[in-house]
Amino acid sequence: MARTKVKLAFIVNDAARKTTYNKRKKSLLKKAYEISTLCGVQACAVIYGPYEAQPEVWPSPCEVQRVLSNFRAKPEVIQTKQMENQETFMNQRVLKAKDKLKKLRTDNKEKEMTVLFDQCIYAGKLVKNDMSVVDLNYLGWLIDHKLKDLGRRLESWDDCNNVQIQSQDQLQLVPLPPPPSTNEEMTMMNHGHVALPINNTDIIEREFFMNLMMNGDGDDTIPFGEVDPGVLPNLLP
Amino acid sequence: MARTKVKLAFIVNDAARKTTYNKRKKSLLKKAYEISTLCGVQACAVIYGPYEAQPEVWPSPCEVQRVLSNFRAKPEVIQTKQMENQETFMNQRVLKAKDKLKKLRTDNKEKEMTVLFDQCIYAGKLVKNDMSVVDLNYLGWLIDHKLKDLGRRLESWDDCNNVQIQSQDQLQLVPLPPPPSTNEEMTMMNHGHVALPINNTDIIEREFFMNLMMNGDGDDTIPFGEVDPGVLPNLLP
DNA sequence: CTGTCTATCTATAAATC
DNA sequence: TGATTTATAGATAGACA
Protein backbone atom coordinates (compact mmCIF):
# COMPACT_ATOMS: atom_id res chain seq x y z
CA MET A 1 0.00 0.00 0.00
CA ALA A 2 2.61 2.48 -0.88
CA ARG A 3 4.54 3.74 -3.85
CA THR A 4 2.65 1.23 -5.94
CA LYS A 5 -0.52 -0.67 -5.34
CA VAL A 6 0.26 -4.33 -4.90
CA LYS A 7 -1.92 -7.11 -6.21
CA LEU A 8 -3.15 -9.29 -3.38
CA ALA A 9 -1.46 -12.46 -4.59
CA PHE A 10 1.48 -14.59 -3.54
CA ILE A 11 4.70 -12.62 -3.85
CA VAL A 12 7.02 -14.61 -6.10
CA ASN A 13 10.25 -12.75 -5.33
CA ASP A 14 11.80 -14.36 -2.26
CA ALA A 15 13.46 -11.29 -0.83
CA ALA A 16 10.44 -9.08 -1.35
CA ARG A 17 8.20 -11.70 0.21
CA LYS A 18 10.34 -11.96 3.31
CA THR A 19 10.52 -8.20 3.69
CA THR A 20 6.78 -7.91 3.36
CA TYR A 21 6.30 -10.80 5.75
CA ASN A 22 8.35 -9.19 8.49
CA LYS A 23 6.70 -5.81 8.12
CA ARG A 24 3.20 -7.14 8.01
CA LYS A 25 3.77 -9.60 10.82
CA LYS A 26 4.78 -6.75 13.07
CA SER A 27 1.78 -4.70 12.01
CA LEU A 28 -0.65 -7.56 12.44
CA LEU A 29 0.52 -8.23 15.98
CA LYS A 30 0.30 -4.52 16.70
CA LYS A 31 -3.28 -4.45 15.49
CA ALA A 32 -4.13 -7.40 17.74
CA TYR A 33 -2.64 -5.50 20.63
CA GLU A 34 -4.57 -2.36 19.74
CA ILE A 35 -8.03 -3.90 19.47
CA SER A 36 -7.42 -5.75 22.71
CA THR A 37 -6.42 -2.54 24.45
CA LEU A 38 -8.96 -0.18 22.95
CA CYS A 39 -11.96 -2.45 23.29
CA GLY A 40 -10.95 -4.53 26.29
CA VAL A 41 -11.40 -7.85 24.54
CA GLN A 42 -9.40 -11.04 24.48
CA ALA A 43 -7.61 -11.62 21.22
CA CYS A 44 -4.77 -13.65 19.90
CA ALA A 45 -2.94 -14.08 16.65
CA VAL A 46 -0.70 -16.85 15.37
CA ILE A 47 1.49 -16.72 12.28
CA TYR A 48 3.51 -19.62 10.91
CA GLY A 49 6.27 -18.37 8.68
CA PRO A 50 9.03 -20.35 6.98
CA TYR A 51 11.59 -18.04 8.54
CA GLU A 52 11.16 -18.97 12.18
CA ALA A 53 11.09 -22.46 13.65
CA GLN A 54 8.23 -21.46 15.90
CA PRO A 55 5.12 -19.47 15.02
CA GLU A 56 4.95 -15.80 15.90
CA VAL A 57 2.18 -15.21 18.35
CA TRP A 58 0.41 -12.47 20.26
CA PRO A 59 0.15 -11.74 23.13
CA SER A 60 2.26 -14.71 24.32
CA PRO A 61 2.43 -18.44 23.73
CA CYS A 62 0.72 -19.35 26.97
CA GLU A 63 -1.94 -16.71 26.52
CA VAL A 64 -2.68 -18.02 23.06
CA GLN A 65 -2.98 -21.49 24.48
CA ARG A 66 -5.42 -20.21 27.07
CA VAL A 67 -7.60 -18.41 24.52
CA LEU A 68 -7.62 -21.39 22.26
CA SER A 69 -8.34 -23.78 25.09
CA ASN A 70 -11.43 -21.74 25.84
CA PHE A 71 -12.52 -22.14 22.27
CA ARG A 72 -11.87 -25.85 22.09
CA ALA A 73 -13.50 -26.43 25.46
CA LYS A 74 -16.86 -25.37 24.04
CA PRO A 75 -19.26 -28.28 23.61
CA GLU A 76 -19.18 -29.48 20.05
CA VAL A 77 -22.84 -28.54 19.65
CA ILE A 78 -22.07 -24.88 20.24
CA GLN A 79 -19.12 -24.93 17.88
CA THR A 80 -21.31 -26.38 15.19
CA LYS A 81 -23.98 -23.80 15.91
CA GLN A 82 -21.33 -21.11 15.57
CA MET A 83 -20.29 -22.49 12.23
CA GLU A 84 -23.85 -22.48 11.06
CA ASN A 85 -24.22 -18.93 12.24
CA GLN A 86 -21.15 -18.05 10.34
CA GLU A 87 -22.48 -19.71 7.23
CA THR A 88 -25.69 -17.73 7.54
CA PHE A 89 -23.60 -14.66 8.06
CA MET A 90 -21.62 -15.41 4.93
CA ASN A 91 -24.79 -15.91 2.92
CA GLN A 92 -25.99 -12.50 4.01
CA ARG A 93 -22.67 -11.16 2.86
CA VAL A 94 -23.23 -12.71 -0.53
CA LEU A 95 -26.54 -10.96 -0.90
CA LYS A 96 -25.14 -7.64 0.23
CA ALA A 97 -22.18 -8.04 -2.07
CA LYS A 98 -24.48 -8.66 -5.00
CA ASP A 99 -26.49 -5.56 -4.22
CA LYS A 100 -23.36 -3.54 -3.93
CA LEU A 101 -22.01 -4.91 -7.19
CA LYS A 102 -25.21 -3.96 -8.95
CA LYS A 103 -25.04 -0.45 -7.56
CA LEU A 104 -21.39 -0.17 -8.56
CA ARG A 105 -22.16 -1.24 -12.09
CA THR A 106 -24.88 1.33 -12.37
CA ASP A 107 -22.65 4.05 -10.99
CA ASN A 108 -19.80 3.09 -13.29
CA LYS A 109 -22.06 3.04 -16.29
CA GLU A 110 -23.27 6.49 -15.43
CA LYS A 111 -19.74 7.75 -15.09
CA GLU A 112 -18.74 6.28 -18.44
CA MET A 113 -21.71 7.83 -20.09
CA THR A 114 -20.92 11.16 -18.52
CA VAL A 115 -17.45 11.00 -20.03
CA LEU A 116 -18.92 10.09 -23.40
CA PHE A 117 -21.40 12.91 -23.09
CA ASP A 118 -18.65 15.40 -22.35
CA GLN A 119 -16.69 14.13 -25.34
CA CYS A 120 -19.77 14.64 -27.50
CA ILE A 121 -20.12 18.21 -26.29
CA TYR A 122 -16.43 18.84 -26.89
CA ALA A 123 -16.23 17.18 -30.33
CA GLY A 124 -19.62 18.45 -31.39
CA LYS A 125 -20.51 15.02 -32.71
CA LEU A 126 -21.15 11.48 -31.45
CA VAL A 127 -18.46 8.91 -32.17
CA LYS A 128 -20.51 5.73 -31.90
CA ASN A 129 -18.16 3.15 -33.44
CA ASP A 130 -17.74 0.91 -30.40
CA MET A 131 -20.99 1.66 -28.63
CA SER A 132 -23.67 -0.94 -28.12
CA VAL A 133 -27.38 -0.29 -28.43
CA VAL A 134 -27.54 -0.46 -24.68
CA ASP A 135 -24.89 2.19 -24.25
CA LEU A 136 -26.54 4.45 -26.79
CA ASN A 137 -29.80 4.06 -24.96
CA TYR A 138 -28.10 4.88 -21.68
CA LEU A 139 -26.47 7.92 -23.22
CA GLY A 140 -29.88 9.06 -24.41
CA TRP A 141 -31.22 8.66 -20.90
CA LEU A 142 -28.32 10.65 -19.49
CA ILE A 143 -28.88 13.50 -21.93
CA ASP A 144 -32.57 13.48 -21.07
CA HIS A 145 -31.62 13.59 -17.42
CA LYS A 146 -29.32 16.53 -17.98
CA LEU A 147 -31.98 18.38 -19.97
CA LYS A 148 -34.45 17.92 -17.16
CA ASP A 149 -31.94 19.27 -14.71
CA LEU A 150 -31.32 22.24 -16.97
CA GLY A 151 -35.09 22.84 -17.09
CA ARG A 152 -35.29 22.79 -13.32
CA ARG A 153 -32.43 25.23 -13.02
CA LEU A 154 -33.96 27.58 -15.55
CA GLU A 155 -37.23 27.49 -13.67
CA SER A 156 -35.69 28.36 -10.32
CA TRP A 157 -33.56 31.01 -11.98
CA ASP A 158 -36.69 32.52 -13.50
CA ASP A 159 -38.44 32.40 -10.15
CA CYS A 160 -35.59 34.14 -8.45
CA ASN A 161 -35.47 36.91 -11.05
CA ASN A 162 -39.23 37.31 -11.68
CA VAL A 163 -38.65 36.97 -15.39
CA GLN A 164 -41.70 36.71 -17.66
CA ILE A 165 -40.48 33.70 -19.62
CA GLN A 166 -43.24 31.11 -19.56
CA SER A 167 -43.32 27.37 -20.15
CA GLN A 168 -43.59 27.62 -23.95
CA ASP A 169 -40.16 29.19 -23.98
CA GLN A 170 -38.65 26.41 -21.97
CA LEU A 171 -36.84 23.34 -23.24
CA GLN A 172 -38.97 20.59 -24.71
CA LEU A 173 -38.16 17.43 -22.81
CA VAL A 174 -38.42 14.21 -24.78
CA PRO A 175 -39.27 11.37 -22.39
CA LEU A 176 -37.11 8.28 -22.77
CA PRO A 177 -37.35 4.90 -21.01
CA PRO A 178 -35.05 4.49 -18.00
CA PRO A 179 -31.71 2.79 -18.70
CA PRO A 180 -31.26 -0.94 -18.21
CA SER A 181 -29.65 -1.58 -14.86
CA THR A 182 -29.48 -5.32 -14.28
CA ASN A 183 -26.72 -7.56 -15.53
CA GLU A 184 -29.23 -9.81 -17.27
CA GLU A 185 -30.67 -6.99 -19.34
CA MET A 186 -27.17 -5.78 -20.21
CA THR A 187 -26.06 -9.20 -21.32
CA MET A 188 -29.21 -9.93 -23.28
CA MET A 189 -28.95 -6.75 -25.26
CA ASN A 190 -25.19 -6.84 -25.82
CA HIS A 191 -24.78 -8.79 -29.09
CA GLY A 192 -21.85 -8.21 -31.40
CA HIS A 193 -20.55 -5.06 -29.75
CA VAL A 194 -17.23 -4.38 -28.07
CA ALA A 195 -17.95 -4.76 -24.39
CA LEU A 196 -16.78 -1.98 -22.13
CA PRO A 197 -14.28 -3.05 -19.43
CA ILE A 198 -16.85 -2.63 -16.69
CA ASN A 199 -18.77 -5.61 -18.01
CA ASN A 200 -15.77 -7.93 -17.77
CA THR A 201 -16.87 -10.95 -15.79
CA ASP A 202 -13.33 -11.79 -14.67
CA ILE A 203 -12.97 -8.55 -12.79
CA ILE A 204 -16.31 -9.12 -11.14
CA GLU A 205 -15.30 -12.60 -10.07
CA ARG A 206 -11.98 -11.44 -8.67
CA GLU A 207 -13.83 -9.01 -6.48
CA PHE A 208 -16.02 -11.74 -5.13
CA PHE A 209 -13.91 -13.13 -2.33
CA MET A 210 -12.90 -9.83 -0.82
CA ASN A 211 -16.42 -8.49 -1.05
CA LEU A 212 -17.43 -11.59 0.79
CA MET A 213 -14.77 -11.27 3.43
CA MET A 214 -14.54 -7.55 3.88
CA ASN A 215 -17.61 -6.09 2.27
CA GLY A 216 -15.10 -3.92 0.43
CA ASP A 217 -14.64 -2.82 -3.18
CA GLY A 218 -11.11 -4.12 -3.86
CA ASP A 219 -10.04 -5.15 -7.33
CA ASP A 220 -7.66 -7.75 -5.99
CA THR A 221 -6.66 -10.97 -7.62
CA ILE A 222 -7.83 -14.40 -6.57
CA PRO A 223 -6.32 -15.11 -3.15
CA PHE A 224 -3.77 -17.69 -2.06
CA GLY A 225 -5.06 -21.23 -2.14
CA GLU A 226 -7.04 -20.90 -5.36
CA VAL A 227 -10.38 -20.09 -3.87
CA ASP A 228 -13.14 -20.93 -6.30
CA PRO A 229 -15.23 -17.78 -6.41
CA GLY A 230 -18.36 -19.81 -6.88
CA VAL A 231 -17.98 -21.91 -3.76
CA LEU A 232 -18.27 -20.83 -0.16
CA PRO A 233 -15.42 -21.80 2.19
CA ASN A 234 -16.22 -25.09 3.84
CA LEU A 235 -16.90 -24.32 7.46
CA LEU A 236 -17.51 -27.87 8.66
CA PRO A 237 -14.74 -30.18 9.87
CA MET B 1 -6.38 7.11 13.54
CA ALA B 2 -8.37 9.69 11.76
CA ARG B 3 -9.89 13.07 12.34
CA THR B 4 -8.22 12.94 15.73
CA LYS B 5 -5.44 10.82 17.05
CA VAL B 6 -6.81 8.47 19.67
CA LYS B 7 -4.98 7.53 22.80
CA LEU B 8 -4.31 3.82 22.89
CA ALA B 9 -6.35 3.13 26.01
CA PHE B 10 -9.63 1.46 26.84
CA ILE B 11 -12.49 3.37 25.25
CA VAL B 12 -14.90 4.32 28.02
CA ASN B 13 -17.86 5.29 25.85
CA ASP B 14 -19.84 2.12 25.14
CA ALA B 15 -21.15 3.07 21.72
CA ALA B 16 -17.81 4.35 20.51
CA ARG B 17 -16.09 1.24 21.80
CA LYS B 18 -18.44 -1.07 19.97
CA THR B 19 -18.11 0.89 16.74
CA THR B 20 -14.36 0.79 16.99
CA TYR B 21 -14.48 -2.88 17.84
CA ASN B 22 -16.46 -3.80 14.76
CA LYS B 23 -14.34 -1.72 12.42
CA ARG B 24 -11.06 -2.93 13.81
CA LYS B 25 -12.18 -6.55 14.00
CA LYS B 26 -12.92 -6.49 10.31
CA SER B 27 -9.58 -4.86 9.55
CA LEU B 28 -7.63 -7.27 11.72
CA LEU B 29 -9.14 -10.29 10.01
CA LYS B 30 -8.45 -8.68 6.65
CA LYS B 31 -4.80 -8.21 7.62
CA ALA B 32 -4.56 -11.86 8.61
CA TYR B 33 -5.99 -12.81 5.25
CA GLU B 34 -3.56 -10.52 3.44
CA ILE B 35 -0.34 -11.73 5.07
CA SER B 36 -1.46 -15.29 4.54
CA THR B 37 -2.11 -14.62 0.86
CA LEU B 38 0.86 -12.38 0.08
CA CYS B 39 3.46 -14.45 1.90
CA GLY B 40 1.98 -17.90 1.66
CA VAL B 41 2.05 -18.57 5.38
CA GLN B 42 -0.37 -20.14 7.80
CA ALA B 43 -1.99 -17.65 10.10
CA CYS B 44 -5.00 -17.40 12.32
CA ALA B 45 -6.65 -14.81 14.49
CA VAL B 46 -9.16 -15.10 17.30
CA ILE B 47 -11.08 -12.26 18.93
CA TYR B 48 -13.38 -12.61 21.91
CA GLY B 49 -15.76 -9.70 22.09
CA PRO B 50 -18.64 -9.14 24.51
CA TYR B 51 -20.96 -8.63 21.55
CA GLU B 52 -20.94 -12.13 20.13
CA ALA B 53 -21.46 -15.37 22.04
CA GLN B 54 -18.64 -16.97 20.09
CA PRO B 55 -15.24 -15.54 19.21
CA GLU B 56 -14.62 -14.11 15.78
CA VAL B 57 -11.97 -16.09 14.00
CA TRP B 58 -9.99 -16.23 10.81
CA PRO B 59 -9.86 -18.12 8.53
CA SER B 60 -12.44 -20.52 10.02
CA PRO B 61 -13.06 -22.22 13.34
CA CYS B 62 -11.76 -25.59 12.21
CA GLU B 63 -8.72 -24.03 10.57
CA VAL B 64 -7.91 -22.17 13.76
CA GLN B 65 -8.18 -25.40 15.68
CA ARG B 66 -5.81 -27.03 13.25
CA VAL B 67 -3.21 -24.26 13.51
CA LEU B 68 -3.45 -24.21 17.26
CA SER B 69 -3.25 -27.98 17.50
CA ASN B 70 0.03 -27.78 15.64
CA PHE B 71 1.29 -25.33 18.19
CA ARG B 72 0.16 -27.30 21.21
CA ALA B 73 1.53 -30.53 19.76
CA LYS B 74 5.08 -29.18 20.05
CA PRO B 75 7.08 -30.82 22.85
CA GLU B 76 7.09 -28.67 25.93
CA VAL B 77 10.85 -28.27 25.70
CA ILE B 78 10.56 -26.52 22.39
CA GLN B 79 7.79 -24.26 23.60
CA THR B 80 9.93 -23.26 26.54
CA LYS B 81 12.88 -22.65 24.25
CA GLN B 82 10.66 -20.45 22.12
CA MET B 83 9.62 -18.48 25.18
CA GLU B 84 13.23 -17.96 26.14
CA ASN B 85 14.01 -16.82 22.64
CA GLN B 86 11.17 -14.40 22.87
CA GLU B 87 12.46 -13.09 26.18
CA THR B 88 15.90 -12.54 24.68
CA PHE B 89 14.24 -10.84 21.77
CA MET B 90 12.33 -8.58 24.13
CA ASN B 91 15.46 -7.67 26.00
CA GLN B 92 17.09 -6.61 22.78
CA ARG B 93 14.04 -4.49 22.12
CA VAL B 94 14.47 -2.83 25.48
CA LEU B 95 18.01 -1.82 24.66
CA LYS B 96 17.07 -0.54 21.21
CA ALA B 97 14.12 1.33 22.65
CA LYS B 98 16.33 3.03 25.20
CA ASP B 99 18.77 4.13 22.52
CA LYS B 100 15.97 5.45 20.41
CA LEU B 101 14.42 7.26 23.36
CA LYS B 102 17.70 8.96 24.11
CA LYS B 103 18.03 10.06 20.51
CA LEU B 104 14.46 11.34 20.50
CA ARG B 105 15.04 13.37 23.65
CA THR B 106 18.10 14.94 22.14
CA ASP B 107 16.29 15.74 18.91
CA ASN B 108 13.31 17.16 20.74
CA LYS B 109 15.46 19.30 22.94
CA GLU B 110 17.20 20.69 19.89
CA LYS B 111 13.87 21.49 18.26
CA GLU B 112 12.62 23.26 21.35
CA MET B 113 15.76 25.29 21.56
CA THR B 114 15.47 26.18 17.90
CA VAL B 115 12.00 27.53 18.54
CA LEU B 116 13.27 29.48 21.52
CA PHE B 117 16.14 30.80 19.46
CA ASP B 118 13.79 31.94 16.72
CA GLN B 119 11.64 33.68 19.32
CA CYS B 120 14.70 35.45 20.63
CA ILE B 121 15.59 36.65 17.17
CA TYR B 122 12.01 37.81 16.61
CA ALA B 123 11.55 39.53 19.98
CA GLY B 124 15.08 40.85 20.06
CA LYS B 125 15.46 39.72 23.66
CA LEU B 126 15.56 36.53 25.73
CA VAL B 127 12.52 35.72 27.85
CA LYS B 128 14.10 33.38 30.37
CA ASN B 129 11.45 33.25 33.09
CA ASP B 130 10.65 29.53 32.91
CA MET B 131 13.97 28.28 31.63
CA SER B 132 16.22 26.03 33.61
CA VAL B 133 19.96 26.36 33.78
CA VAL B 134 20.14 23.31 31.58
CA ASP B 135 17.94 24.85 28.95
CA LEU B 136 19.87 28.08 28.99
CA ASN B 137 23.07 26.15 28.60
CA TYR B 138 21.56 24.22 25.70
CA LEU B 139 20.38 27.41 24.08
CA GLY B 140 23.88 28.76 24.37
CA TRP B 141 25.24 25.66 22.70
CA LEU B 142 22.69 26.01 19.91
CA ILE B 143 23.62 29.62 19.28
CA ASP B 144 27.25 28.64 19.22
CA HIS B 145 26.41 25.90 16.77
CA LYS B 146 24.55 28.31 14.52
CA LEU B 147 27.43 30.80 14.65
CA LYS B 148 29.85 28.11 13.59
CA ASP B 149 27.57 27.17 10.73
CA LEU B 150 27.37 30.81 9.71
CA GLY B 151 31.16 30.98 9.79
CA ARG B 152 31.43 27.93 7.55
CA ARG B 153 28.93 29.38 5.10
CA LEU B 154 30.75 32.70 4.98
CA GLU B 155 33.99 30.90 4.30
CA SER B 156 32.64 28.88 1.40
CA TRP B 157 30.89 31.97 0.05
CA ASP B 158 34.20 33.83 0.19
CA ASP B 159 35.98 30.96 -1.54
CA CYS B 160 33.43 30.87 -4.29
CA ASN B 161 33.68 34.62 -4.87
CA ASN B 162 37.43 35.09 -4.34
CA VAL B 163 36.78 37.85 -1.86
CA GLN B 164 39.73 39.25 0.08
CA ILE B 165 38.07 39.09 3.50
CA GLN B 166 40.43 37.25 5.87
CA SER B 167 39.96 35.50 9.17
CA GLN B 168 40.24 38.65 11.32
CA ASP B 169 37.05 39.90 9.69
CA GLN B 170 35.17 36.73 10.46
CA LEU B 171 32.95 36.00 13.42
CA GLN B 172 34.62 35.32 16.74
CA LEU B 173 33.39 31.94 17.94
CA VAL B 174 33.13 31.51 21.68
CA PRO B 175 33.56 27.82 22.49
CA LEU B 176 30.94 26.40 24.87
CA PRO B 177 30.72 22.94 26.44
CA PRO B 178 28.40 20.50 24.64
CA PRO B 179 24.85 20.34 26.02
CA PRO B 180 23.87 17.70 28.56
CA SER B 181 22.13 14.83 26.80
CA THR B 182 21.32 12.13 29.36
CA ASN B 183 18.20 12.08 31.48
CA GLU B 184 20.29 11.83 34.63
CA GLU B 185 22.14 15.05 33.92
CA MET B 186 18.92 16.81 33.02
CA THR B 187 17.23 15.72 36.22
CA MET B 188 20.18 16.53 38.42
CA MET B 189 20.44 20.06 37.13
CA ASN B 190 16.72 20.80 37.04
CA HIS B 191 15.94 22.19 40.49
CA GLY B 192 13.15 24.66 41.05
CA HIS B 193 12.41 25.35 37.41
CA VAL B 194 9.30 24.68 35.40
CA ALA B 195 10.08 21.50 33.53
CA LEU B 196 9.41 21.49 29.82
CA PRO B 197 6.90 18.85 28.69
CA ILE B 198 9.58 16.81 26.97
CA ASN B 199 11.10 15.94 30.31
CA ASN B 200 7.85 14.54 31.65
CA THR B 201 8.59 11.05 32.88
CA ASP B 202 4.98 9.93 32.43
CA ILE B 203 5.11 10.44 28.70
CA ILE B 204 8.32 8.54 28.53
CA GLU B 205 6.84 5.67 30.50
CA ARG B 206 3.74 5.55 28.36
CA GLU B 207 5.92 5.08 25.33
CA PHE B 208 7.67 2.17 26.88
CA PHE B 209 5.35 -0.68 26.04
CA MET B 210 4.82 0.23 22.43
CA ASN B 211 8.48 0.83 21.86
CA LEU B 212 8.98 -2.59 23.30
CA MET B 213 6.34 -4.21 21.17
CA MET B 214 6.67 -2.33 17.94
CA ASN B 215 9.97 -0.49 18.06
CA GLY B 216 7.84 2.53 17.21
CA ASP B 217 7.64 6.10 18.47
CA GLY B 218 4.05 6.23 19.70
CA ASP B 219 3.06 8.47 22.58
CA ASP B 220 0.32 6.05 23.64
CA THR B 221 -1.05 5.50 27.11
CA ILE B 222 -0.44 2.48 29.25
CA PRO B 223 -2.24 -0.45 27.62
CA PHE B 224 -5.16 -2.53 28.76
CA GLY B 225 -4.36 -4.72 31.74
CA GLU B 226 -2.23 -2.20 33.59
CA VAL B 227 1.13 -3.25 32.30
CA ASP B 228 3.85 -2.14 34.65
CA PRO B 229 6.34 -0.34 32.41
CA GLY B 230 9.20 -1.51 34.54
CA VAL B 231 8.41 -5.20 34.29
CA LEU B 232 8.67 -7.45 31.28
CA PRO B 233 5.58 -9.51 30.41
CA ASN B 234 5.82 -12.89 32.09
CA LEU B 235 6.32 -15.40 29.36
CA LEU B 236 6.32 -18.52 31.48
CA PRO B 237 3.12 -20.40 32.42
C1' DC C 1 -27.65 -0.22 14.16
C1' DT C 2 -25.62 -0.04 9.03
C1' DG C 3 -23.71 2.48 5.45
C1' DT C 4 -21.47 6.81 3.74
C1' DC C 5 -18.29 10.62 3.76
C1' DT C 6 -14.01 12.72 4.50
C1' DA C 7 -10.18 14.59 6.94
C1' DT C 8 -6.30 12.50 9.16
C1' DC C 9 -3.44 9.21 10.74
C1' DT C 10 -1.09 4.80 9.89
C1' DA C 11 0.87 1.11 7.12
C1' DT C 12 3.92 0.05 3.90
C1' DA C 13 6.34 -0.60 -1.08
C1' DA C 14 10.53 0.95 -2.90
C1' DA C 15 14.71 2.92 -2.92
C1' DT C 16 18.85 3.88 -0.43
C1' DC C 17 22.37 3.46 2.95
C1' DT D 1 20.16 -7.70 7.42
C1' DG D 2 18.30 -4.04 9.20
C1' DA D 3 17.46 1.08 9.63
C1' DT D 4 15.87 5.26 7.27
C1' DT D 5 13.41 7.89 3.96
C1' DT D 6 9.70 9.03 0.96
C1' DA D 7 5.49 8.82 -1.48
C1' DT D 8 1.20 6.49 -1.81
C1' DA D 9 -2.38 3.25 -0.42
C1' DG D 10 -5.15 1.90 3.37
C1' DA D 11 -7.38 2.34 7.93
C1' DT D 12 -10.33 4.75 10.64
C1' DA D 13 -12.56 8.52 14.04
C1' DG D 14 -16.23 11.34 14.00
C1' DA D 15 -20.35 13.07 12.01
C1' DC D 16 -24.38 12.12 9.65
C1' DA D 17 -28.31 9.80 6.96
Side-chain angles (χ1 to χ4, degrees):
Chain A
M1 304 85 173
R3 289 306 176 88
T4 63
K5 177 166 180 174
V6 171
K7 284 289 175 187
L8 197 54
F10 182 78
I11 300 169
V12 180
N13 182 285
D14 286 352
R17 188 170 65 256
K18 183 170 184 181
T19 302
T20 295
Y21 173 76
N22 284 319
K23 286 181 179 178
R24 280 175 176 266
K25 173 160 58 64
K26 195 168 74 168
S27 299
L28 179 59
L29 299 184
K30 181 180 178 184
K31 286 293 178 188
Y33 157 72
E34 288 181 351
I35 193 174
S36 172
T37 301
L38 289 169
C39 306
V41 299
Q42 284 188 55
C44 74
V46 177
I47 311 172
Y48 274 83
Y51 312 108
E52 309 100 355
Q54 296 298 314
E56 293 275 344
V57 300
W58 190 93
S60 70
C62 55
E63 189 62 18
V64 169
Q65 289 204 14
R66 206 170 64 72
V67 174
L68 265 292
S69 298
N70 286 349
F71 177 70
R72 304 190 76 188
K74 301 281 179 185
E76 187 145 351
V77 200
I78 298 185
Q79 285 188 30
T80 307
K81 184 170 170 299
Q82 160 67 0
M83 294 170 194
E84 285 169 358
N85 286 343
Q86 206 168 13
E87 198 165 356
T88 306
F89 177 72
M90 293 296 266
N91 283 328
Q92 291 173 345
R93 289 273 179 140
V94 173
L95 294 179
K96 283 191 181 177
K98 283 183 179 174
D99 283 348
K100 193 155 192 174
L101 178 56
K102 190 171 167 181
K103 183 174 180 304
L104 281 177
R105 281 181 184 154
T106 306
D107 291 353
N108 275 330
K109 178 59 71 180
E110 186 151 342
K111 284 174 186 167
E112 285 174 24
M113 291 302 115
T114 300
V115 169
L116 264 179
F117 175 79
D118 292 344
Q119 288 175 345
C120 292
I121 295 294
Y122 179 75
K125 63 180 181 180
L126 175 60
V127 187
K128 60 177 183 180
N129 296 27
D130 51 2
M131 286 189 66
S132 67
V133 176
V134 175
D135 292 338
L136 280 171
N137 191 32
Y138 206 122
L139 184 57
W141 172 84
L142 182 70
I143 294 174
D144 178 48
H145 194 73
K146 285 177 180 296
L147 283 175
K148 280 180 179 167
D149 186 50
L150 264 179
R152 273 193 299 274
R153 293 198 195 192
L154 272 177
E155 218 159 347
S156 64
W157 188 84
D158 292 347
D159 291 347
C160 292
N161 295 274
N162 273 328
V163 177
Q164 297 306 315
I165 301 174
Q166 289 309 309
S167 56
Q168 60 267 31
D169 298 313
Q170 294 187 6
L171 289 166
Q172 284 300 314
L173 305 183
V174 182
L176 281 178
S181 61
T182 71
N183 191 40
E184 293 71 28
E185 288 172 293
M186 292 287 186
T187 307
M188 284 192 299
M189 301 174 72
N190 242 343
H191 338 274
H193 294 283
V194 177
L196 291 169
I198 196 61
N199 291 324
N200 188 311
T201 307
D202 292 335
I203 293 177
I204 292 161
E205 283 181 349
R206 284 190 294 172
E207 284 178 297
F208 186 88
F209 186 77
M210 280 314 295
N211 277 329
L212 241 185
M213 288 295 295
M214 310 311 311
N215 200 22
D217 316 327
D219 60 346
D220 304 302
T221 56
I222 294 177
F224 177 71
E226 292 302 319
V227 174
D228 179 351
V231 176
L232 281 177
N234 178 18
L235 296 174
L236 299 175
Chain B
M1 303 82 173
R3 290 304 175 89
T4 61
K5 177 166 180 175
V6 171
K7 285 290 175 188
L8 196 54
F10 182 77
I11 300 169
V12 179
N13 181 284
D14 287 351
R17 188 171 65 255
K18 184 169 186 181
T19 303
T20 296
Y21 173 75
N22 283 319
K23 284 182 178 180
R24 280 174 174 267
K25 174 161 57 63
K26 195 169 75 169
S27 298
L28 179 60
L29 299 184
K30 182 180 178 184
K31 287 292 181 188
Y33 157 72
E34 288 182 349
I35 193 175
S36 172
T37 301
L38 288 170
C39 307
V41 299
Q42 283 188 57
C44 74
V46 177
I47 311 172
Y48 275 82
Y51 313 108
E52 309 99 355
Q54 296 299 315
E56 293 274 346
V57 300
W58 189 90
S60 69
C62 55
E63 190 60 18
V64 169
Q65 290 203 14
R66 206 170 63 73
V67 175
L68 265 293
S69 298
N70 286 349
F71 177 70
R72 305 190 73 188
K74 302 282 179 185
E76 187 143 352
V77 199
I78 299 185
Q79 286 188 30
T80 306
K81 184 172 170 296
Q82 160 66 3
M83 294 170 195
E84 285 170 357
N85 286 343
Q86 205 167 15
E87 197 163 358
T88 306
F89 176 73
M90 295 295 267
N91 282 328
Q92 290 173 347
R93 289 273 178 140
V94 173
L95 294 179
K96 284 192 183 178
K98 282 183 178 173
D99 283 349
K100 194 155 192 174
L101 179 57
K102 189 172 169 181
K103 183 175 180 302
L104 281 177
R105 281 181 185 156
T106 306
D107 290 352
N108 276 329
K109 178 58 70 181
E110 186 151 342
K111 283 174 185 168
E112 284 174 24
M113 290 304 113
T114 300
V115 169
L116 264 179
F117 176 78
D118 291 343
Q119 288 175 345
C120 293
I121 295 294
Y122 179 75
K125 63 181 181 181
L126 174 61
V127 187
K128 60 177 181 179
N129 296 26
D130 51 2
M131 287 189 65
S132 68
V133 177
V134 176
D135 292 338
L136 281 171
N137 191 31
Y138 206 121
L139 183 58
W141 172 83
L142 182 70
I143 293 173
D144 178 49
H145 194 73
K146 285 178 180 294
L147 283 176
K148 279 180 180 167
D149 186 50
L150 264 179
R152 273 192 299 273
R153 293 198 195 193
L154 272 177
E155 218 159 346
S156 63
W157 187 84
D158 292 347
D159 290 346
C160 290
N161 296 274
N162 274 328
V163 178
Q164 298 306 317
I165 301 174
Q166 291 308 311
S167 57
Q168 59 267 31
D169 298 313
Q170 294 187 5
L171 289 166
Q172 285 300 316
L173 303 183
V174 181
L176 279 178
S181 60
T182 70
N183 192 38
E184 292 70 30
E185 287 172 294
M186 291 287 187
T187 307
M188 285 190 299
M189 301 175 71
N190 243 343
H191 339 274
H193 294 281
V194 177
L196 291 170
I198 195 62
N199 290 325
N200 189 311
T201 308
D202 291 335
I203 293 177
I204 291 161
E205 284 182 350
R206 285 188 293 172
E207 285 178 320
F208 185 87
F209 187 77
M210 282 313 297
N211 278 330
L212 243 186
M213 287 294 295
M214 312 308 312
N215 198 22
D217 317 316
D219 59 347
D220 305 301
T221 56
I222 293 178
F224 177 69
E226 292 303 320
V227 173
D228 180 351
V231 176
L232 281 178
N234 179 17
L235 297 173
L236 299 176

